[in-house]
Amino acid sequence: MAPGAPHLVVRQVSKRFGAAHVLDRVDLTIARGELVTLLGPSGCGKTTLLRLIAGLESPDAGSVELAGRDITRVPPHRRNVGVVFQSYALFPHLTVYGNVAFGLKSRGRSRGEIDAAVGRALSLVHLEHLGARRIAALSGGQQQRVALARAIAVEPDVLLFDEALSALDRKLREEMQVELRRLLREVGATAIFVTHDQDEALTMSDRVAVMFAGRIEQVDEPRIVYARPATLFTLGFVGLSTRVSGIVAGSNNGRVEVDTAVGRLSAIGNFLIGSPVVVAVRPEHVRAAPETAGNCVAGRVRSIVFHGSNSLVEVDAGAATTLLAQIPNDVSAPPRVGDEIRLCWPVAETFAFPMPEAGA
Amino acid sequence: MTHAAAQAPAGKIVDRDRSAALAFLAPSLLFLLVAFVTPLILLLGVSLAGPSGLSLDAYGKLLGTGYYLTVIWNSLRLALLTTIFALAIAYPAAFALARARGMVRTALLTCLFLPLAASVIVKAFAWTILLRSDGIVNRILVGLGLIEAPIRMIFTETALIVGSVNIFLPFMILPIYAVVTQLDRRLSEAAATLGAPPIAAFLKVTLPLTLPGIIAGVALVFSLSVSAYVVPTLLIGERYPTLASTIAKAYLLARDPQFGAAAGVALLVIALIVVTLSARLAGRENSR
């Protein structure tokens, strides 16, 4: 749910580099105080979209509005945005204080104001004691915090993070995700994160915009993106899934019967009879149980990957089809490799997507 | 540096590093001692050796005669003007070079390095051919009707500075280029997003970060052009006596080694001042 009125509006923005369409008529609306992630594989246009919002690229078509002002043709230094770069881009010839004060000095603030604002920003990131330190004398995590403090200090209309956490090691990254989210909430910032890391996207944001080939495939709350992916791409990019292709044999009230290589499956969806579709299910809905309701497929266990409280079981269902099932490890007789197994899952958790055209 | 102590927890390691460094440096130090320091001491000795023992006469003549003060000023003026114009051309050129990609970059680098392979005498003569009254430049200007008669270009200070800048330019471009290639382009973008207009971003970020390259290039070009001999001799000649030509004349024509040596020492002192100053500046830049 978007709290408040539109704060950042990207309207029909297109951008090409040479012959390549990097962004293709992208629309995105973000409310004040919202944390939104642009998620997608490299080359999907997410960084270009971020740079367009920052003013570091200009769109070939479309417009960008920020805080009620059309900034499409406004140069970056008059936009009031804060950017945290992947490489941090801290000024190596300045101290921590000098870096954080840079934006305030550019805005011609008084010395007292600058001191106070730098102090506030540094204490937000717990670096108030390192103001005099040189950048080269900081650890990667500390540099990350300085970059954040520098961007926050000017109280920008929107904070933009370009893969800002990807340079940190995993443990530090996970800590920073939680801390960053808390901190951004605390200062009421509107922020956009660019990442290819789905965990980061699901953890950090109020909404996730999944991007592919220059287009936004879906913008929704993380749980909806995961549980109700709008496109086959989103399904495949966020989380694990089993996918089986088939032909629609029956259609009734938002439910379709699909003939596949592993038998007839029921799924949610509206398709004409005879349409080629892909039927999909998340592994956590697949159970090794003697249920009779829903979709059931038999097969042989090919591999088991232990994940603590559950195991990811790969089942060969024949006809070149592999099913993924996430089986809780509390069952008395866990499946073993080579076992014959019958897997069932509810129809309500079975999606049907139109078959992508050849080559796509 | 306060953090130097923190970085060297064990004194022994530093000692061993230092003696290893000394061992690696030994051959070059020995060579410099024989080929450079000894002649310098001899030079200093000769400059102080009058016909009847120790004398400062040569230095008195150099610093006490209006003509020779003009000579010193000529050398300084040539070096200053060459350095200023070379810097003005080299700074943007270094950025163009660093931003260029692929074939363009290779071509530009070749253009930069190839002239270094040609002798300075060849290059200076080339300029005299271009600039003399029946030279190509005059012929083109007359042919285009821009001037009615050939104008005097060779043996003017303009010709001298043009030739000198051309010959010493690579020594300004290369150190600046080396620094610019290390420059993260995101830094200017960061400055822009923090509200700095392009000029402010340049003055506060790009310029300070490229200053070490500027300092190195200025030191190189200044010390090369202050002691240049061939370039002023061929491009302007007698009208513009310099310290270098004075040294040559003292040794070759006047047979006055004491005065020649004194002029040599003066040149050395100028070069030392420039190099020391720039090392200081660069050091301060690095420790900020």
Side-chain angles (χ1 to χ4, degrees):
Chain A
M1 293 300 107
H7 181 59
L8 174 72
V9 183
V10 174
R11 201 171 279 132
Q12 289 289 300
V13 159
S14 292
K15 176 76 180 174
R16 45 197 329 183
F17 291 124
H21 265 294
V22 181
L23 291 175
D24 186 12
R25 286 160 292 160
V26 168
D27 285 304
L28 182 66
T29 302
I30 295 175
R32 178 177 286 281
E34 225 187 345
L35 310 180
V36 174
T37 294
L38 307 178
L39 175 69
S42 61
C44 71
K46 57 190 193 297
T47 295
T48 304
L49 180 53
L50 195 84
R51 290 172 59 82
L52 278 166
I53 295 168
L56 299 171
E57 307 278 356
S58 56
D60 299 333
S63 67
V64 182
E65 274 169 41
L66 180 60
R69 184 165 72 119
D70 184 340
I71 57 165
T72 315
R73 301 288 159 204
V74 175
H77 64 274
R78 286 200 229 112
R79 282 196 180 196
N80 200 30
V81 296
V83 184
V84 180
F85 292 88
Q86 180 170 18
S87 59
Y88 311 143
L90 295 173
F91 305 124
H93 59 300
L94 301 177
T95 58
V96 168
Y97 181 97
N99 268 276
V100 179
F102 193 97
L104 300 153
K105 283 183 183 161
S106 299
R107 284 164 171 74
R109 299 282 166 77
S110 75
R111 187 146 192 134
E113 275 178 297
I114 294 175
D115 267 345
V118 171
R120 261 200 314 277
L122 284 178
S123 72
L124 269 175
V125 298
H126 308 300
L127 287 181
E128 52 271 64
H129 55 296
L130 292 184
R133 194 69 76 83
R134 292 187 62 206
I135 297 305
L138 299 179
S139 72
Q142 288 171 332
Q143 293 190 9
Q144 220 277 324
R145 286 158 192 270
V146 176
L148 177 61
R150 183 177 70 173
I152 283 183
V154 297
E155 293 171 16
D157 290 325
V158 62
L159 269 167
L160 307 169
F161 295 82
D162 183 12
E163 303 264 6
L165 301 179
S166 64
L168 302 177
D169 62 57
R170 189 182 163 160
K171 189 168 179 302
L172 197 55
R173 188 167 66 232
E174 284 170 1
E175 283 171 18
M176 272 307 282
Q177 284 170 8
V178 176
E179 193 187 324
L180 188 56
R181 190 181 159 83
R182 180 191 55 73
L183 189 152
L184 292 173
R185 280 272 179 266
E186 205 174 296
V187 298
T190 310
I192 302 177
F193 308 96
V194 156
T195 184
H196 60 268
D197 178 347
Q198 49 164 304
D199 292 332
E200 192 173 309
L202 300 180
T203 310
M204 302 274 296
S205 20
D206 300 323
R207 285 191 301 155
V208 176
V210 182
M211 292 188 69
F212 179 62
R215 310 210 59 154
I216 293 182
E217 297 261 315
Q218 182 173 9
V219 193
D220 261 313
E221 288 172 52
R223 65 179 65 246
I224 294 178
V225 168
Y226 182 81
R228 292 287 174 263
T231 65
L232 194 56
F233 174 80
T234 304
L235 170 89
F237 194 75
V238 182
L240 295 168
S241 56
T242 295
R243 278 157 284 176
V244 186
S245 50
I247 302 289
V248 176
S251 179
N252 184 23
N253 271 344
R255 204 175 136 156
V256 287
E257 304 297 321
V258 182
D259 281 332
T260 73
V262 292
R264 177 164 290 198
L265 300 175
S266 303
I268 305 295
N270 276 310
F271 292 96
L272 293 175
I273 292 172
S275 320
V277 294
V278 175
V279 177
V281 63
R282 298 279 191 200
E284 62 269 28
H285 300 299
V286 180
R287 290 275 176 272
E291 297 158 49
T292 46
N295 294 310
C296 290
V297 171
R300 187 183 294 272
V301 175
R302 184 194 291 152
S303 72
I304 299 173
V305 180
F306 181 70
H307 282 303
S309 62
N310 57 64
S311 290
L312 191 65
V313 179
E314 231 182 41
V315 174
D316 183 357
T321 304
T322 303
L323 297 175
L324 288 175
Q326 189 178 306
I327 311 258
N329 280 331
D330 54 3
V331 293
S332 49
R336 283 176 306 184
V337 174
D339 283 359
E340 292 289 339
I341 193 169
R342 193 174 134 83
L343 298 174
C344 297
W345 65 92
V347 173
E349 298 297 341
T350 314
F351 318 116
F353 297 100
M355 177 88 73
E357 279 159 40
Chain B
M1 291 294 93
T2 46
H3 59 266
Q7 279 170 352
K12 266 184 194 163
I13 295 175
V14 172
D15 281 351
R16 202 164 50 188
D17 278 357
R18 202 164 283 168
S19 48
L22 212 61
F24 285 128
L25 277 173
S28 56
L29 285 177
L30 198 69
F31 176 78
L32 282 178
L33 188 71
V34 174
F36 190 65
V37 178
T38 314
L40 278 186
I41 292 167
L42 290 175
L43 184 78
L44 198 63
V46 171
S47 76
L48 294 169
S52 50
L54 195 69
S55 97
L56 285 169
D57 288 356
Y59 290 102
K61 184 175 162 191
L62 190 65
L63 299 175
T65 322
Y67 173 76
Y68 288 115
L69 286 178
T70 310
V71 167
I72 294 174
W73 168 239
N74 279 350
S75 282
L76 287 173
R77 186 182 159 85
L78 168 62
L80 269 174
L81 289 173
T82 305
T83 306
I84 289 167
F85 285 113
L87 180 60
I89 297 170
Y91 197 73
F95 275 82
L97 199 58
R99 300 277 193 260
R101 290 284 167 269
M103 287 294 286
V104 180
R105 188 180 208 164
T106 313
L108 288 174
L109 277 173
T110 309
C111 290
L112 190 61
F113 279 109
L114 216 54
L116 291 177
S119 153
V120 64
I121 300 184
V122 174
K123 279 182 280 188
F125 267 122
W127 276 109
T128 66
I129 293 168
L130 283 174
L131 297 180
R132 70 189 179 205
S133 38
D134 61 343
I136 295 167
V137 177
N138 263 321
R139 274 199 231 163
I140 290 173
L141 291 177
V142 173
L144 289 174
L146 291 174
I147 51 173
E148 289 184 359
I151 49 170
R152 183 192 172 113
M153 281 185 248
I154 192 74
F155 304 130
T156 63
E157 192 179 27
T158 312
L160 172 66
I161 302 301
V162 167
S164 173
V165 167
N166 167 254
I167 286 162
F168 296 121
L169 193 59
F171 300 97
M172 187 67 90
I173 295 182
L174 285 173
I176 299 177
Y177 165 70
V179 173
V180 173
T181 51
Q182 302 297 312
L183 201 64
D184 180 0
R185 290 180 78 172
R186 295 272 179 272
L187 293 178
S188 324
E189 295 186 348
T193 61
L194 287 166
I199 291 175
F202 172 78
L203 292 177
K204 285 168 151 183
V205 177
T206 310
L207 188 62
L209 288 174
T210 48
L211 204 54
I214 296 175
I215 292 168
V218 164
L220 267 174
V221 170
F222 191 93
S223 35
L224 284 171
S225 51
V226 80
S227 59
Y229 174 65
V230 173
V231 177
T233 305
L234 290 183
L235 289 181
I236 193 162
E238 283 300 310
R239 297 176 53 240
Y240 198 94
T242 60
L243 275 171
S245 66
T246 302
I247 296 169
K249 238 180 281 172
Y251 274 104
L252 300 174
L253 298 176
R255 306 272 171 205
D256 183 356
Q258 191 194 358
F259 185 64
V265 171
L267 205 48
L268 189 72
V269 169
I270 293 173
L272 269 178
I273 290 171
V274 171
V275 170
T276 315
L277 269 180
S278 51
R280 277 267 182 88
L281 275 173
R284 206 176 64 188
E285 210 45 52
N286 283 333
S287 65
R288 256 208 339 224

